[in-house]
Amino acid sequence: MGIAERRQREKKQRKTEIADAAERLFFSRGYEDVSMDDIAREVELNKATIYLYFKNKEALFATIVLRGIEILKEKYLECMEKDVPGIVKVTLMGRAYYRFSQEYPEYLRLIHFYGSERFSRENPYTAEIGKGYGTCRRMLADAVREGIDDGTIRGDLDPFLTSMYLMTSFMGILSMEHRWKLAIEAEGFSYDRFADEFFRFIMPAISSGGGSQDIDDLAKPEERKRS
């Protein structure tokens, strides 16, 4: 290995170490409660060194958000690669989003926080994050389109609009305020059941025919294969 290649590898490793340290802090505290000084102490580097790798705290935060989006993209891609009808892919994607929220709750929290008006649109990471989420939404639209083509999803629906309705619905359920979760629990239902019932509620609305049980019967074997 040459000197230039070794230095490049060391630089990449150092950047990863800084991002890992920032991730630990952003996961354990809110964005506003983490400073570049805190990150420098966590990674045991001079703050000036961190600025050689990341322009500011916002850039570091966005880097962690991108990590979460990459995980979600992989989950969606797994759903798209299944040899199942389009409507089943849509169901699997919705449940994959829910599993993501359970397995990686801190990534989801950071993703939703980045979507607020708090961050600059001029930040180059903003476009990259939008592109990542856009890829997930396009895969969902492709699944809807497949469902229309194979006859499992209503032909009068627009794939783009349907994917937007579904994606924003997923986001709304998974970013629900705690007070609403308490209201659900007060009526004797768990939040897990509430989230799962959403698919039984929404899928018949886009299905070309058949009940939600038919869709569940097709989707659940695929989910068992995944596990």
Side-chain angles (χ1 to χ4, degrees), residues 69 128-140 167:
I69 290 176
E128 195 171 348
I129 289 169
K131 183 179 178 182
Y133 235 110
T135 298
C136 293
R137 203 272 312 150
R138 281 191 295 275
M139 280 193 277
L140 186 56
M167 200 74 168

Side-chain angles (χ1 to χ4, degrees), residues 98-116:
Y98 177 69
R99 285 198 308 275
F100 172 75
S101 75
Q102 299 301 296
E103 294 169 10
Y104 305 97
E106 297 303 332
Y107 277 131
L108 184 70
R109 178 175 62 82
L110 267 57
I111 288 171
H112 287 170
F113 185 73
Y114 198 88
S116 69

